[in-house]
Amino acid sequence: MTKRKEIIIPEKDYENQKVIIASIRDNNNIELQKNGLQKKMHIITYGCQQNTSDSEKLKGMLYEMGYVDTKVKSEADIILMNTCCVRENAELKIFGNLGALKKLKTENPNLIIGICGCMMQQEHIVKEIKQKYRFVDMVFGTHNLHKLPQLIQMATHEKYTLIDIMNSDGLIIEDIPTKREDKYRAWVTIMYGCNNFCSYCIVPYVRGRERSRNPQDVITEISDLAKEGCKEVTLLGQNVNSYGIDLNQNVDFADLIKMANNIEGIERIRFMTSHPKDISDKLIHTIKDCKKVCEQMHLPFQSGSNKILHAMNRKYTREEYLEKIKKVKNAIPGIALSTDIIVGFPGENEEDFNDTLDLVKEVEFDQAFTFIYSKRKGTPAEKMDNQVDDDIKHKNFEKLLEVQGHISREINESYLNKIVDVLVEGLSKSDKNRMTGRTRTGKVVNFNPGINEIKIGDLVNVKITEVFSWFLNGEIEI
Ligand code: 5AD
Ligand code: SF4
């Protein structure tokens, strides 16, 4: 294999990328007409919804360049890995999967292998790729995925590893084409980055400071989606509650929700993630008043102990969190709450963990995403010397799962015999005679469509006949 070395790409604007897209498309079309060879892409996405949304843009650009999707890696002309670095186990898995691509590159030297996303914003990771994964053709970060066309163009000529990582994060590129996975439900990023610097979290270092999209751009995107038949949008950001602060346009997140609520064709609006410190009364009332906003909120609390919350730099206390929950529950009865919890943050003792368990029992979340604390290079928590024993972390993690499992099941019991509004997503994975969808509260419902002709994207009434901790079963109700 050719020895590769690093080359840094000079910054160019997106207009230039459009020209490159057209030129690659022309070449690919010629090849398709001459030899019947259709270029294929395979994109692997790790991590959160923001990454899913970014991958839809990578796909959009590749699609415009004349590539089609393939599920089979060995058929692909380009393989991209869009990475996540929030926890160490994600990184280890990604390195394992990247290593496995070497064989494909040896078999097909024309294959372009690219790795991008959050993990690439860390210097030590890029160094490791340069040293140990020399077959990789291109490495790029979170701030410059719009330069994919230029990278591909260069990768087809160069025998060097192209490294393009930007640390500046001022850029919001609006007109990147998007190829969405789902016609009826769409992710809409409203802001990028995070200013909160929770002491365990790598996100502010790899995604940069908060930048809000212009409200008009967001609303135009949602209106266009509605015209194409989209029914549900999820507004995305690391902390959507601070939307607009950087814009000086007198538009905050509540105002944006109101605008989205007026868009004809959109039936459901969701959003994530919210930081508890930024949930305002105005926002709670807006959610209550806007009929399209679903009765669901994801509000990570991370720890129930004030000592640990302080060490995490979360900027609220347990009591303040509970107060916000009370307000939300009072304003929006039946709201489904979900949360994120970290087990085993440095210094967490039994008493602290019990505070977390108590909070879980007191709030009664519909769902909790629980994570074992993972040391992240460059974060303040990495340097804390009272790291918790792995055994204790795992034992507490299991305990938390068990407690939450019971609570989820109990909440789901209250759905029994109720008729719920379900947006149909497709066939059930476990039983192809059944269909699946979600309630406004985000519950997965598998149901028997009977003799009715039900299509993906339909909104149907389903009577719940059976409940489990993680999903509900039901029958269609005409
Ligand atoms: N270790 C464990 N969990 C983490 N999260 C973020 N950083 C870490 C870390 N270092 C969790 C938080 C966050 C979710 C997206 O990931 O709970 O809300
Ligand atoms: Fe990470 Fe905290 Fe920002 Fe969430 S709010 S992305 S946990 S720093």
Side-chain angles (χ1 to χ4, degrees), residues 48-50 188-198 200-201 203-204 207-213 235-246 251-254 256-257 270-280 283 297-300 302 313-316 321 324 340:
C48 67
Q49 288 77 10
Q50 185 58 57
V188 176
T189 301
I190 62 165
M191 62 189 298
Y192 299 88
C194 180
N195 289 355
N196 287 313
F197 289 95
C198 302
Y200 50 82
C201 186
V203 169
R207 290 228 169 238
R209 297 294 68 71
E210 285 173 1
R211 285 103 62 208
S212 303
R213 284 178 69 197
L235 309 179
L236 280 186
Q238 304 298 340
N239 177 19
V240 288
N241 308 126
S242 50
Y243 173 82
I245 291 174
D246 55 316
V251 178
D252 63 13
F253 183 50
L256 188 73
I257 286 187
R270 303 186 195 274
F271 56 89
M272 68 188 303
T273 292
S274 300
H275 194 300
K277 75 174 165 52
D278 298 320
I279 296 269
S280 64
L283 180 64
M297 193 186 283
H298 183 63
L299 204 56
Q302 314 294 2
N313 192 30
R314 287 292 288 177
K315 304 187 186 96
Y316 55 83
Y321 182 84
K324 298 249 161 123
D340 291 346

Side-chain angles (χ1 to χ4, degrees), residues 371-382:
F371 306 104
I372 290 179
Y373 168 71
S374 164
K375 233 191 220 188
R376 300 289 61 211
K377 201 174 166 63
T379 61
E382 182 208 3

Side-chain angles (χ1 to χ4, degrees), residues 148-180:
L148 176 67
Q150 191 182 355
L151 283 161
I152 293 180
Q153 192 182 51
M154 292 179 81
T156 45
H157 302 301
E158 301 280 357
K159 285 287 167 245
Y160 304 128
T161 301
L162 307 168
I163 309 244
D164 195 22
I165 309 293
M166 252 164 64
N167 291 321
S168 74
D169 55 25
L171 235 48
I172 294 185
I173 311 271
E174 279 301 337
D175 44 2
I176 304 179
T178 304
K179 179 102 173 65
R180 298 183 191 266

Side-chain angles (χ1 to χ4, degrees), residues 6-9 80-81 83 98 112-117 119-123 125-131 133-142 144-145 147-148 151 155 160-166:
E6 176 181 354
I7 184 164
I8 311 273
I9 320 270
L80 294 180
M81 285 175 89
T83 63
L98 180 62
I112 297 175
I113 296 180
I115 180 156
C116 61
M119 228 171 122
M120 300 308 116
Q121 292 293 139
Q122 304 173 94
E123 245 171 66
I125 297 282
V126 175
K127 202 166 151 202
E128 189 165 346
I129 290 177
K130 280 195 305 203
Q131 284 167 353
Y133 301 86
R134 301 177 74 86
F135 58 91
V136 171
D137 297 279
M138 49 202 208
V139 177
F140 54 107
T142 51
N144 47 359
L145 59 89
K147 283 161 76 183
L148 176 67
L151 283 161
Y160 304 128
T161 301
L162 307 168
I163 309 244
D164 195 22
I165 309 293
M166 252 164 64

Side-chain angles (χ1 to χ4, degrees), residues 303-315:
S303 168
S305 150
N306 280 336
K307 180 188 96 189
I308 298 296
L309 284 172
H310 183 70
M312 285 177 162
N313 192 30
R314 287 292 288 177
K315 304 187 186 96

Side-chain angles (χ1 to χ4, degrees), residues 224-403:
D224 289 348
L225 282 164
K227 280 180 209 140
E228 287 159 22
C230 178
K231 302 262 175 75
E232 178 180 307
V233 288
T234 303
L235 309 179
L236 280 186
Q238 304 298 340
N239 177 19
V240 288
N241 308 126
S242 50
Y243 173 82
I245 291 174
D246 55 316
L247 289 178
N248 283 329
Q249 289 194 25
N250 233 352
V251 178
D252 63 13
F253 183 50
D255 301 325
L256 188 73
I257 286 187
K258 278 186 214 152
M259 290 189 247
N261 193 60
N262 289 333
I263 298 174
E264 207 178 315
I266 295 296
E267 306 275 356
R268 291 177 169 192
I269 300 170
R270 303 186 195 274
F271 56 89
M272 68 188 303
T273 292
S274 300
H275 194 300
K277 75 174 165 52
D278 298 320
I279 296 269
S280 64
D281 290 351
K282 175 179 173 188
L283 180 64
I284 294 172
H285 287 114
T286 305
I287 295 169
K288 178 183 164 208
D289 295 340
C290 291
K291 292 284 157 284
K292 293 177 181 176
V293 178
C294 292
E295 297 75 24
Q296 181 195 23
M297 193 186 283
H298 183 63
L299 204 56
F301 76 89
Q302 314 294 2
S303 168
S305 150
N306 280 336
K307 180 188 96 189
I308 298 296
L309 284 172
H310 183 70
M312 285 177 162
N313 192 30
R314 287 292 288 177
K315 304 187 186 96
Y316 55 83
T317 62
R318 167 195 181 89
E319 292 73 25
E320 284 161 351
Y321 182 84
L322 287 169
E323 190 51 39
K324 298 249 161 123
I325 290 283
K326 205 159 116 191
K327 277 189 185 170
V328 169
K329 280 189 173 180
N330 283 342
I332 311 155
I335 188 165
L337 295 167
S338 57
T339 197
D340 291 346
I341 308 169
I342 297 179
V343 176
F345 183 82
E348 184 183 77
N349 59 28
E350 207 180 323
E351 198 183 324
D352 300 316
F353 177 68
N354 284 335
D355 284 345
T356 294
L357 273 186
D358 285 349
L359 197 146
V360 163
K361 289 177 191 159
E362 183 167 346
V363 174
E364 297 186 325
F365 294 99
D366 289 67
Q367 201 178 2
F369 298 90
T370 45
F371 306 104
I372 290 179
Y373 168 71
S374 164
K375 233 191 220 188
R376 300 289 61 211
K377 201 174 166 63
T379 61
E382 182 208 3
K383 302 272 162 10
M384 295 180 184
D385 50 17
N386 39 7
Q387 303 281 333
V388 178
D389 219 57
D390 270 353
D391 285 354
I392 298 179
K393 281 190 206 171
H394 283 99
K395 189 176 89 347
N396 287 345
F397 179 77
E398 293 302 325
K399 173 95 192 139
L400 188 56
L401 278 191
E402 190 194 323
V403 169

